Amino acid sequence: MFRRRLLGAGSGAALLAALAPAARAQTPPIRIVLGFAAGGSVDGVGRLLAEQIGTGLGRTAIVEN
């Protein structure tokens, strides 16, 4: 009986580990919308902010002007 529980728990853990990257891949990127033209100082600050947010959350951050 203990053997069956151990095998069941092991296979369940393997299944969750296999599905975790697929769940993360389906999250949409973070969109940061700036109301100013590209190439300005606000754009530069927005891109730096997007990089920090993306690395902090482990997701992709996109800046749109």
Side-chain angles (χ1 to χ4, degrees), residues 34 36-49 63-65:
L34 301 175
F36 295 93
S41 61
V42 174
D43 183 47
V45 172
R47 291 184 189 279
L48 289 173
L49 181 67
V63 175
E64 295 181 4
N65 296 334

Side-chain angles (χ1 to χ4, degrees), residues 2-31:
F2 176 73
R3 194 175 188 181
R4 286 184 186 177
R5 285 186 182 176
L6 184 62
L7 287 174
S11 63
L15 178 65
L16 286 176
L19 292 178
R24 187 181 317 165
Q26 293 177 356
T27 58
I30 299 170
R31 291 177 43 204

